[in-house]
Amino acid sequence: MAYPDPGLSVRWTGTDVKITATNLARAVMLDFGAVAAQPSDDGFDLLPGESVTIHVVSDASAATLRKALTLRTLAR
């Protein structure tokens, strides 16, 4: 099944990241690559207009987490 682009936007406040979807976002996953980071939730759906705030625990700085974050969904 092909899903449309979820239109995700990200806003950081320290080590908390607020993710908002314009369209349906199925199986949103946070990927920090080689940076050791543990999100409070990793694998969720968002309805159009819905947001979720995730706390990220890591020894890395907030700036490093911002640069490392890649969001993945079933659409991409």
Side-chain angles (χ1 to χ4, degrees):
M1 175 176 213
Y3 291 99
D5 182 341
L8 297 176
S9 63
V10 174
R11 195 174 109 230
W12 284 90
T13 304
T15 57
D16 290 339
V17 58
K18 182 178 181 178
I19 303 165
T20 304
T22 302
N23 300 308
L24 175 65
R26 296 277 297 140
V28 178
M29 295 163 275
L30 289 75
D31 181 359
F32 291 93
V35 176
Q38 182 62 48
S40 60
D41 194 356
D42 188 23
F44 50 88
D45 298 334
L46 291 172
L47 296 173
E50 190 173 25
S51 297
V52 64
T53 300
I54 306 295
H55 179 71
V56 182
V57 176
S58 178
D59 289 334
S61 69
T64 298
L65 292 173
R66 268 188 234 108
K67 288 180 185 177
L69 176 63
T70 299
L71 293 177
R72 303 195 187 285
T73 70
L74 291 181
R76 47 176 152 146

